[in-house]
Amino acid sequence: MISLEARNLTVTLNGRAVLRDINLGFQGPGLYFVLGQNGSGKSTLLRSLAGLIPFEGEVLLNGIDIRKYSRKELSKAIGYVWQNPLYGFFESTVEREIKFILRNLDLEQTNRFEEVIKHFGVGNFLKRSPFSLSGGEAKRVCMCSVLVADQQVYLLDEPEGELDYQGLEKLIDFVKSESKRKLIIIATHNALLSYKMRDTTERIFIIYNGEIINSIKPEDLLSNNSLVKVGIVPIQWWLS
Ligand SMILES: Nc1ncnc2c1ncn2[C@@H]1O[C@H](COP(=O)(O)OP(=O)(O)OP(=O)(O)O)[C@@H](O)[C@H]1O
Ligand SMILES: [Mg+2]
């Protein structure tokens, strides 16, 4: 079992409460979604669950306050794939970018490098600068550069952004198979992605204005007509 839990989690940025008193539990292995409109607090929530920003309240990984883990232990346990890949790249080549985390966390013995570059189809541009990539290529490299470390928890921030049909299929296959042994939380404004993955999803949490206001069973997603009230494009809108 893997567990990640937020207790009375509050985040204040520049004097504004961006997350307010969030109480939320995730049990793994399994897949969860956090759905919310732009600015609702999804990225801030994932960053605080990963221990990357200061917060009030508690975040517990497997029952232990994440502030008790060293930075390295936490990075080995939780992989956060940030929303905009270009914010995180800093190496001179794609290969170095993907291998950085292995060097940094002393995981160079792992043989996952070949597996992830093959799965996400980034083998052809290993020698390129990550800053020269197209949007979708950058997104795929960004996924590889974190998930190559095989953490027990994956926090994926809008992972579908910029991906084409093939990229989406690769992402969905990867998440489906990895969620059998990991805890995966996807934050997105895109209800279609959660609908597409409803058969492998445990629960969908709705975030609005920094608060978790609802929790939806995946099978109720299509019939739920409260999404539009919180600024999430309902699935029917795409089809109309
Ligand atoms: N450093 C900061 N100072 C002030 N406000 C901030 C800061 N960082 C984020 N915010 C604000 O906090 C709110 C939540 O931001 P967050 O990035 O978590 O939203 P989001 O749900 O991920 O949105 P999106 O769908 O656009 O990615 C937004 O209104 C944002 O402008
Ligand atoms: Mg965001």
Side-chain angles (χ1 to χ4, degrees), residues 5 13 36 46 51 55 67 101 107 143 147 161 188 196 200 222 225 236:
E5 191 184 344
L13 298 171
L46 293 196
F55 56 81
R67 287 173 283 215
I101 192 169
L107 297 171
M143 299 275 296
L147 306 182
T188 181
K196 179 76 187 162
T200 29
L222 198 57
N225 47 24
Q236 294 86 347

Side-chain angles (χ1 to χ4, degrees), residues 81-141:
V81 182
W82 59 97
Q83 185 169 351
N84 183 339
L86 295 182
Y87 287 171
F89 290 155
F90 59 96
E91 287 281 4
S92 54
T93 66
V94 166
E95 181 168 358
R96 288 184 62 83
E97 194 68 63
I98 297 172
K99 287 185 171 166
F100 173 81
I101 192 169
L102 300 178
R103 286 199 304 280
N104 200 30
L105 299 180
D106 304 322
L107 297 171
E108 280 160 310
Q109 303 313 313
T110 167
N111 57 8
R112 263 202 134 208
F113 177 76
E114 298 297 335
E115 189 190 321
V116 295
I117 63 164
K118 187 159 175 255
H119 185 86
F120 286 101
V122 306
N124 287 340
F125 32 84
L126 289 177
K127 301 297 173 202
R128 295 250 307 270
S129 160
F131 298 99
S132 73
L133 301 173
S134 75
E137 290 166 350
K139 195 75 188 178
R140 288 188 276 141
V141 166

Side-chain angles (χ1 to χ4, degrees), residues 13-14 16 18 37-44 47 83 158:
L13 298 171
N14 275 340
R16 183 176 151 231
V18 171
Q37 67 180 2
N38 294 148
S40 54
K42 303 180 295 296
S43 295
T44 309
R47 282 188 207 122
Q83 185 169 351
E158 312 258 359

Side-chain angles (χ1 to χ4, degrees), residues 157-197:
D157 200 346
E158 312 258 359
E160 77 284 13
E162 314 256 17
L163 294 182
D164 61 12
Y165 184 25
Q166 192 198 39
L168 280 174
E169 294 245 286
K170 298 262 182 204
L171 169 72
I172 288 171
D173 283 353
F174 185 78
V175 169
K176 275 191 178 167
S177 85
E178 295 277 285
S179 66
K180 292 186 189 127
R181 61 190 185 97
K182 291 169 188 290
L183 170 61
I184 304 183
I185 306 170
I186 294 182
T188 181
H189 64 275
N190 186 348
L192 272 180
L193 183 68
S194 53
Y195 183 66
K196 179 76 187 162
M197 303 197 73

